[in-house]
Amino acid sequence: MYAPFFGLEQPPFSIAPDPRLLFMSERHREALAHLLYGLQAGGGFVLLTGEVGTGKTTVCRCFLEQVPDSCSVAYIFNPRLTVVELLRSICDEFGVARPPAAHGLETVKDCIDPLNEFLLRAHAAGRTSVLVIDEAQNLAPEVLEQLRLLTNLETSEAKLLQIILIGQPELRALVAQPQLEQLAQRVIARYHLQALSRAETAQYVAHRLAVAGLRGPLPFDRRALALIHTLSGGVPRRINVLCDRALLGAYSRGEREVRPATLRRAAREVFGGAHRVAPARPAWRAVGAGALAGAALVAALGWGLGWRVPGGTGQQTAAAIGSPKASAAAASAVSAAAPDAGAPAGKGQEDGAPPPSALAQWLAAQPEAGAGEAAGWGQLARAWQASVPPDAADICAALARSDLRCWRTRRSSLAQLRQLDRPALLTLQPPGAGSVVRVLALLALDGEQALLAGAGGARLSVPLAELTPLWQGGLATLWRAPAGWPASGTPPAGSAAAIWLEQQLARLQGSKAPTNRPRAGRRNADSGEADPSARVRRFQSEQGLTPDGQAGPLTLMLLNRAAGVAEPRLSQRGG
């Protein structure tokens, strides 16, 4: 609503995990360093805690994207599980097959034995196994004790499993309980993620506005930025909601600059009476539960300017606009109500249950993860005009002969998927107890419709509102490296690949590419850039990546897209 008024190309303060808006403060980098340390720590627990909204998920996302290929990661995002359910989930995440057991009769040993065998094989192959549990403050004490016992899985020289627990401050108190003393003694590193400082809050706001397209002065002056920190406590999620509402208020008044009075009024709107320096967690639960769904309407009507909505009441307008959750529910209801041409008449309706959706039926007909993934790689390869030999033992190695490389992440998002804009494999968890994951190729995104491809070339167009609840972030895709690009790391100075990288970045950034690579620490007189990695960091910041100066797969994929390199795209439906 207010974005064009302030010269913005997109809303700058969305609370969705958009990778383009990523901001890593010094505290976030320290937290990330602790998690990365856990990869080489040789067993035990690593704890990352922080208040709601301080960026634990941001740090976890960065960590999962930097995990090396030699590391196997199991990620548990819903830890409200029994001991057996947790062990079953860990086995599923690692892809460990378990012997079938009668429902309700599966024991801890049924999971521990095959898991131990898997960890031993991984260790023998030089692989590290890491278990990451998010929202770990919800773990029951008996489940934590079982996790401690998992760290007993070891060889004579090394532990087989590293465990990382991420949660709210209650996790520290939970681990400190006397009955968990043995677990507490195995914590090898812990970090509590604090809120942003006043200076970091100002940097955060400026960064978000710049990524959103702001080219002129900030709509917040120095006094307003200081007040944002005071009102939000420096908690990024609270900053987002406060600034979003304040910009909407300024827009409704026709003001190009957000005044302190507007900020205070916005704080009362979104935080109620809880806008203190310390994070007010109950108020946040209220905001997360429903206030954001109608933020634009409620805020626009709540500024007390005497506005009237033509053609009906506020309630009618809200019903017409709808919330994202309402839209998703409506799409699901339409899908459930649609007749199923492939099912016998009356099937599933005798007991009052709706017939399964077309997506659920289609997923049930697809092979399980292993065979489905192989078929999916074949679909992606065809999009790149390549092929996978039917007897290929290592699909990614086979595709490397066509100069294609595989890239995987366990924690992607719809925003990142749209940003990468390339066909990908999605790991989907079909609804229903005991359902088995499926890996399908996503070939196109046309607005709010997704085109999936399965085994045998079967395709299905499905609304995103039906697809996204089944996708927990597992993603894999292909990318083509420039000629001469090394298998790992960045190209050596002066190589053709290094020169290509500098030329592409210089063209995108509107500066002159150096003909000879400058020595480290010297500024190139023509380009104005110091070290070539400065160009990479600048591009990464503009794209919302962690600005580490290393041109990895994500950086190169986004660079090719920005440079207009002809590659398969999700936004252009293929045949």
Side-chain angles (χ1 to χ4, degrees):
M1 180 181 292
Y2 60 74
F5 179 79
F6 289 101
L8 303 172
E9 298 170 1
Q10 67 181 71
F13 295 107
S14 168
I15 63 171
D18 189 336
R20 292 173 296 178
L21 298 172
L22 174 66
F23 176 83
M24 290 284 285
S25 70
E26 188 62 32
R27 291 168 173 80
H28 291 91
R29 295 183 191 280
E30 290 177 4
L32 177 60
H34 278 70
L35 297 188
L36 292 172
Y37 165 76
L39 293 179
Q40 295 87 30
F45 290 87
V46 175
L47 266 60
L48 171 62
T49 56
E51 289 284 355
V52 174
T54 49
K56 300 185 297 296
T57 298
T58 297
V59 173
C60 185
R61 178 187 298 276
C62 292
F63 166 73
L64 292 174
E65 289 175 352
Q66 296 186 34
V67 168
D69 293 337
S70 61
C71 184
S72 299
V73 179
Y75 177 77
I76 306 295
F77 62 92
N78 177 21
R80 288 188 178 272
L81 303 168
T82 65
V83 169
V84 172
E85 288 172 340
L86 177 69
L87 292 173
R88 189 185 304 139
S89 297
I90 294 171
C91 288
D92 291 342
E93 281 288 305
F94 279 131
V96 177
R98 306 185 311 278
H103 180 68
L105 298 179
E106 191 172 29
T107 67
V108 170
K109 189 176 187 299
D110 292 330
C111 298
I112 290 289
D113 287 350
L115 177 60
N116 189 39
E117 292 177 8
F118 165 81
L119 295 174
L120 285 169
R121 289 195 304 270
H123 177 72
R127 298 185 62 82
T128 303
S129 299
V130 179
L131 169 62
V132 181
I133 300 182
D134 206 350
E135 300 294 341
Q137 76 278 354
N138 293 319
L139 290 167
E142 62 271 17
V143 177
L144 278 168
E145 174 61 15
Q146 179 59 61
L147 288 173
R148 181 190 69 82
L149 294 175
L150 286 181
T151 62
N152 288 336
L153 300 177
E154 59 188 3
T155 65
S156 58
E157 72 276 356
K159 297 285 188 181
L160 298 179
L161 183 63
Q162 177 70 60
I163 301 177
I164 296 175
L165 302 180
I166 302 174
Q168 296 172 22
E170 296 93 325
L171 176 60
R172 294 188 295 178
L174 184 62
V175 172
Q177 292 181 2
Q179 64 267 35
L180 294 173
E181 173 64 23
Q182 289 181 294
L183 186 150
Q185 292 178 2
R186 299 193 184 191
V187 175
I188 59 174
R190 62 182 77 208
Y191 188 85
H192 185 69
L193 189 58
Q194 302 283 353
L196 301 179
S197 67
R198 177 174 294 189
E200 288 170 336
T201 297
Q203 294 167 7
Y204 178 86
V205 172
H207 168 80
R208 284 239 167 187
L209 288 166
V211 173
L214 183 68
R215 296 293 177 263
L218 291 179
F220 303 98
D221 63 15
R222 185 167 57 182
R223 191 167 55 135
L225 289 170
L227 184 57
I228 289 172
H229 179 262
T230 300
L231 295 172
S232 67
V235 176
R237 195 181 299 166
R238 290 169 63 88
I239 294 172
N240 290 345
V241 178
L242 175 63
C243 290
D244 180 75
R245 190 65 61 89
L247 286 172
L248 188 58
Y251 160 73
S252 68
R253 294 174 177 271
E255 299 170 348
R256 299 283 179 180
E257 187 172 282
V258 178
R259 299 179 179 180
T262 304
L263 272 170
R264 292 190 180 92
R265 189 167 190 172
R268 289 194 297 271
E269 291 275 346
V270 295
F271 302 145
H275 53 283
R276 306 183 303 270
V277 174
R281 299 170 60 196
W284 261 109
R285 291 191 179 94
V287 171
L292 294 179
L297 176 68
V298 175
L301 296 178
W303 287 99
L305 301 179
W307 285 20
R308 295 293 181 267
V309 180
T313 66
Q315 288 88 340
Q316 291 169 329
T317 307
I321 293 176
S323 69
K325 287 187 176 180
S327 300
S332 298
V334 170
S335 174
D340 177 15
K347 174 75 172 174
Q349 298 181 14
E350 295 177 357
D351 57 357
S357 68
L359 175 59
Q361 293 183 72
W362 194 75
L363 287 177
Q366 298 303 311
E368 295 183 6
E373 184 172 354
W377 282 119
Q379 295 279 356
L380 296 194
R382 282 191 286 276
W384 287 85
Q385 298 183 344
S387 61
V388 178
D391 58 345
D394 187 333
I395 293 177
C396 290
L399 289 172
R401 301 188 188 103
S402 302
D403 296 325
L404 290 173
R405 303 186 186 183
C406 300
W407 180 80
R408 306 170 187 263
T409 177
R410 291 175 177 268
R411 194 76 184 275
S412 187
S413 65
L414 183 59
Q416 185 180 60
L417 196 59
R418 291 188 185 277
Q419 184 186 27
L420 292 175
D421 194 22
R422 61 184 57 225
L425 299 184
L426 303 184
T427 302
L428 304 179
Q429 177 67 63
S435 59
V436 180
V437 297
R438 300 290 195 271
V439 178
L440 282 305
L442 175 68
L443 298 184
L445 276 181
D446 182 12
E448 296 302 311
Q449 288 289 123
L451 179 64
L452 297 174
R459 297 191 176 188
L460 178 71
S461 181
V462 60
L464 276 177
E466 291 184 35
L467 178 64
T468 50
L470 310 183
W471 181 49
Q472 303 300 334
L475 179 145
T477 190
L478 292 172
W479 63 288
R480 179 164 280 143
W485 200 268
S488 61
T490 55
S495 65
I499 293 172
W500 174 90
L501 175 63
E502 291 190 54
Q503 289 175 340
Q504 293 295 315
L505 290 170
R507 184 171 65 85
L508 287 174
Q509 295 166 358
S511 58
K512 183 177 179 181
T515 53
N516 295 309
R517 177 169 176 158
R519 292 193 299 272
R522 289 189 56 186
R523 184 176 295 275
N524 183 278
D526 294 329
S527 68
E529 296 282 349
D531 190 277
S533 63
R535 292 183 189 272
V536 178
R537 287 194 296 272
R538 176 182 168 188
F539 177 79
Q540 289 170 329
S541 295
E542 292 169 348
Q543 297 293 320
L545 303 178
T546 302
D548 58 7
Q550 302 296 311
L554 267 180
T555 299
L556 290 174
M557 283 189 277
L558 294 178
L559 179 60
N560 280 351
R561 185 188 181 194
V565 175
E567 294 178 331
R569 295 292 172 205
L570 282 176
S571 53
Q572 298 175 357
R573 180 165 297 187

